[in-house]
Amino acid sequence: MAAAQMGPTQKQDTREATLARLLALLEEAAGKGAQLVVFPELAFTTFFPRWLLDGDALEIYYERGMPNSHVQPLFDRARELSVGFYIGYAELTPEGERFNAAVTVGPDGTILGKYRKVHLPGSVEPKPGQTYQQLEKRYFEYGDLGFPAFEGAESWNTPRMGMLICNDRRWPEAWRAYGLQGVELMVMGYNSAAYDPNGGATEDAGLRTFHSSLVAQGNAYMNATWAVSVAKAGDEDGSGLIGGSCIIDPDGRIVAQTESLDDEIVVAECDLDACLQGKTKMFNFAAHRRPEHYRRLIDQVGVE
Amino acid sequence: MAAAQMGPTQKQDTREATLARLLALLEEAAGKGAQLVVFPELAFTTFFPRWLLDGDALEIYYERGMPNSHVQPLFDRARELSVGFYIGYAELTPEGERFNAAVTVGPDGTILGKYRKVHLPGSVEPKPGQTYQQLEKRYFEYGDLGFPAFEGAESWNTPRMGMLICNDRRWPEAWRAYGLQGVELMVMGYNSAAYDPNGGATEDAGLRTFHSSLVAQGNAYMNATWAVSVAKAGDEDGSGLIGGSCIIDPDGRIVAQTESLDDEIVVAECDLDACLQGKTKMFNFAAHRRPEHYRRLIDQVGVE
């Protein structure tokens, strides 16, 4: 497996330039033996929810099909290399619905799984007086597919897989919904702020990168699954994004992690049998879970 | 707050000797300024579920009231010092029910909260041919109190509190049930194997200690709460227990951790305001949770 971290993608970067970077990452990962390459959330563009936009200035960021003519070269080259990939993008459906979405594509080019981000951060209305916004709740609808596990490719040893996008990875309910479907490999991309670009909050990039690793490690362990968690990183249009893309084993240990804030590949072999110890003992859900005491998790939204 | 780790308590140790150790730990913690002292699970005895027992050999391990004459000196001294504590014990109710239980006692000696372990590990029937068993499911009933948050003492700044016991800390559902009640301070004790005493599993003490810290760190962060997680540690009746007792901040960082496998106090100041950033932003549950997609967590017990 490969984590294919991307450095920043600026607003003025052309689609062609970004696609060339994705292709270069794909080639490098394949050259290192990876059969599945995990790209970030919203991998084709800058993280546009940081601005209040409308009309054409907004519409250019959405994909009207997956694949489509703009991204077809990535699908084509992956199939030639017999490599699959996960990639995040902004989806506009024929019915006009908008989602923060991801697909996992098999080595033969077929779409094996599709996911729409459930845990949208940010707000619908812009916050007055702030240079940078977080308007995911404005530009996307809440994902309507739930947390659908799916089978990975045979050449990956047919892992039971699940996808998350960015903020989803901080929500143990999302991981557990997949854990209850027996996932062995979780893949996810993110664009996470390295600092408050408006100068408010006090968490620095080191703490935020720690948080990003911690949630992947803790939830991978508690669900006895591999996890690949991948950043778009660096200074993007004046707003900093953390790196720290990582591959996590079912014991919650980081087995590979990026060191830069640029385009960077790290790879690791993921032995699916390493999930067995956790799934059959400590986290044998059938033997040890007590759902009669978990009602509050669905009966309440917020704190009561 | 203090984590009052205990070294091992052997089967042949007298009740009086163990009580003297608890009192010494209480004095030391109070001397270091702690106003709440967290003791381990089953703090008055050895971890007896490792053996197949019955009759008097089993009955001696249960407390028939809390407090009772055996433990009254601990309650008395704590009140004199105006220090509160969490302590785990085996409970036998007047109706004959048995629970792996814990109480949190205020500085005035009143019981502020009571908890009965929900996530019992192990089995009902002994495993044939094994020297050491894990028979919690035989000796205890599943906790019937759910996850009841409660108010800590005024001298602790009246934190919203929750209790867990040992294996509970590995289950994100338990933490979230408390998180949804706004907890700011989670306290828990454990007796966790350092290795498989029967020579089976391959996880060593280092990995198991890492797991113990990881679940406390990850779940503390994801619920924006302080956590104090405390071991009974060391070589107990020929079976090894991990140490690694720790105090965790709402960012998931370890702010104090024991270094030994013996009786040992570590203390930290726990500023409850440090929970606010998480509770109002990243983990503002009312704004960001999507329970309509969490049904699987209560509709299923095991993997489907």
Side-chain angles (χ1 to χ4, degrees):
Chain A
M1 306 299 158
Q5 178 173 293
M6 297 179 74
T9 299
Q10 312 302 336
K11 195 172 187 174
Q12 78 273 18
D13 290 346
T14 63
R15 283 270 186 169
E16 291 67 28
T18 303
L19 187 65
R21 288 168 56 201
L22 290 166
L23 284 165
L25 284 164
L26 185 79
E27 297 282 350
E28 182 184 342
K32 291 180 171 171
Q35 301 202 298
L36 170 60
V37 182
V38 180
F39 292 111
E41 174 193 36
L42 297 174
F44 298 111
T45 68
T46 187
F47 185 78
F48 63 89
R50 69 168 65 91
W51 300 294
L52 181 61
L53 303 167
D54 59 15
D56 284 351
L58 178 62
E59 296 304 320
I60 54 166
Y61 292 113
Y62 292 88
E63 312 297 320
R64 280 150 185 83
M66 188 53 61
N68 58 52
S69 60
H70 292 298
V71 306
Q72 191 63 48
L74 180 66
F75 279 69
D76 292 344
R77 185 61 187 140
R79 192 173 49 201
E80 285 168 15
L81 293 166
S82 290
V83 165
F85 60 94
Y86 160 107
I87 198 158
Y89 62 100
E91 175 188 15
L92 176 56
T93 71
E95 296 75 31
E97 292 178 306
R98 293 154 195 273
F99 298 100
N100 189 337
V103 288
T104 294
V105 179
D108 62 354
T110 59
I111 289 180
L112 301 176
K114 177 163 182 173
Y115 176 69
R116 290 167 170 166
K117 185 174 183 175
V118 166
H119 295 96
L120 297 174
S123 57
V124 174
E125 295 304 323
K127 296 191 176 172
Q130 293 200 350
T131 308
Y132 294 98
Q133 303 291 335
Q134 212 308 10
L135 294 172
E136 283 191 60
K137 281 184 160 73
R138 183 183 191 90
Y139 296 142
F140 302 115
E141 293 167 64
Y142 291 108
D144 59 354
L145 302 175
F147 302 103
F150 60 98
E151 280 210 342
E154 268 185 58
S155 59
W156 315 337
N157 296 318
T158 329
R160 191 90 178 139
M161 291 185 65
M163 288 184 275
L164 296 172
I165 299 176
C166 195
N167 185 43
D168 285 317
R169 74 196 189 285
R170 304 183 199 268
W171 297 87
E173 295 92 340
W175 290 78
R176 186 62 104 221
Y178 283 120
L180 285 163
Q181 297 170 78
V183 292
E184 302 161 294
L185 176 59
M186 293 286 294
V187 290
M188 62 208 72
Y190 58 89
N191 288 249
S192 292
Y195 52 83
D196 182 343
N198 301 301
T202 55
E203 301 157 305
D204 65 14
L207 181 57
R208 289 167 189 248
T209 307
F210 167 74
H211 288 161
S212 181
S213 298
L214 177 60
V215 294
Q217 295 179 260
N219 286 303
Y221 168 62
M222 293 189 291
N223 291 284
T225 180
W226 287 90
V228 185
S229 184
V230 180
K232 180 142 60 68
D235 184 348
E236 189 175 87
D237 288 313
S239 183
L241 300 171
I242 60 167
S245 305
C246 51
I247 302 176
I248 311 282
D249 77 11
D251 278 299
R253 293 175 293 203
I254 297 173
V255 296
Q257 187 156 32
T258 56
E259 294 179 348
S260 77
L261 297 176
D262 297 317
D263 290 7
E264 180 181 351
I265 295 286
V266 293
V267 299
E269 277 211 41
C270 298
D271 174 9
L272 300 180
D273 288 344
C275 304
L276 275 175
Q277 164 89 5
K279 287 191 190 299
T280 57
K281 294 189 175 175
M282 190 73 84
F283 299 110
N284 177 341
F285 294 156
H288 302 309
R289 290 182 79 247
R290 310 298 305 167
E292 66 271 30
H293 293 299
Y294 307 155
R295 289 260 0 155
R296 196 182 287 273
L297 274 65
I298 64 157
D299 288 348
Q300 279 179 227
V301 181
V303 174
E304 287 178 16
Chain B
M1 307 298 159
Q5 178 174 292
M6 300 179 73
T9 300
Q10 312 302 336
K11 195 172 188 173
Q12 79 271 20
D13 290 347
T14 64
R15 282 270 187 168
E16 291 68 28
T18 304
L19 187 65
R21 289 168 56 200
L22 290 165
L23 285 164
L25 285 164
L26 185 78
E27 297 283 350
E28 182 183 343
K32 289 180 172 171
Q35 301 202 297
L36 170 60
V37 182
V38 181
F39 292 111
E41 174 193 36
L42 297 175
F44 298 112
T45 67
T46 187
F47 185 77
F48 63 90
R50 69 168 66 91
W51 301 293
L52 181 62
L53 302 167
D54 59 14
D56 285 351
L58 178 63
E59 295 304 321
I60 55 169
Y61 292 113
Y62 292 89
E63 313 296 322
R64 281 152 185 81
M66 187 54 60
N68 59 51
S69 59
H70 291 298
V71 307
Q72 191 62 49
L74 180 67
F75 279 69
D76 292 344
R77 186 62 187 140
R79 192 174 49 200
E80 285 168 17
L81 294 166
S82 290
V83 166
F85 60 95
Y86 160 106
I87 198 158
Y89 62 101
E91 175 188 16
L92 175 56
T93 72
E95 295 75 32
E97 292 177 307
R98 292 155 196 275
F99 298 101
N100 188 337
V103 288
T104 293
V105 180
D108 62 354
T110 58
I111 289 180
L112 301 177
K114 178 162 181 173
Y115 176 69
R116 290 167 170 165
K117 186 174 183 177
V118 166
H119 295 95
L120 298 174
S123 56
V124 175
E125 296 303 323
K127 296 192 175 171
Q130 292 200 350
T131 308
Y132 294 97
Q133 302 291 335
Q134 214 305 14
L135 294 171
E136 283 191 62
K137 282 186 162 75
R138 182 184 191 90
Y139 296 144
F140 302 114
E141 294 166 64
Y142 291 109
D144 59 354
L145 302 175
F147 302 103
F150 59 99
E151 280 211 342
E154 267 185 58
S155 59
W156 315 337
N157 296 319
T158 327
R160 191 88 178 141
M161 292 184 64
M163 289 185 274
L164 296 172
I165 300 177
C166 195
N167 185 42
D168 285 318
R169 74 196 189 284
R170 304 182 199 268
W171 297 87
E173 295 93 339
W175 289 79
R176 185 63 101 221
Y178 283 120
L180 285 163
Q181 297 170 76
V183 291
E184 301 162 294
L185 175 59
M186 293 286 294
V187 289
M188 64 208 70
Y190 59 88
N191 288 248
S192 292
Y195 52 83
D196 182 343
N198 301 301
T202 55
E203 300 157 307
D204 65 16
L207 180 56
R208 288 167 190 247
T209 307
F210 167 74
H211 288 161
S212 180
S213 297
L214 177 61
V215 293
Q217 294 178 261
N219 286 302
Y221 169 62
M222 292 188 292
N223 292 284
T225 179
W226 289 89
V228 185
S229 185
V230 181
K232 181 142 61 65
D235 184 349
E236 188 174 86
D237 288 314
S239 182
L241 299 172
I242 61 167
S245 306
C246 51
I247 302 175
I248 311 283
D249 77 11
D251 277 301
R253 293 175 293 203
I254 297 173
V255 296
Q257 187 157 32
T258 56
E259 294 179 348
S260 76
L261 297 176
D262 297 318
D263 291 6
E264 181 180 350
I265 295 285
V266 294
V267 299
E269 278 211 39
C270 298
D271 174 9
L272 300 181
D273 288 344
C275 305
L276 275 175
Q277 164 90 3
K279 287 190 191 299
T280 57
K281 294 190 175 175
M282 190 73 83
F283 300 109
N284 176 342
F285 294 156
H288 301 310
R289 289 182 80 246
R290 308 300 303 168
E292 66 271 29
H293 292 300
Y294 307 156
R295 290 263 356 158
R296 196 182 287 273
L297 275 64
I298 63 157
D299 289 348
Q300 280 179 225
V301 182
V303 174
E304 285 177 18

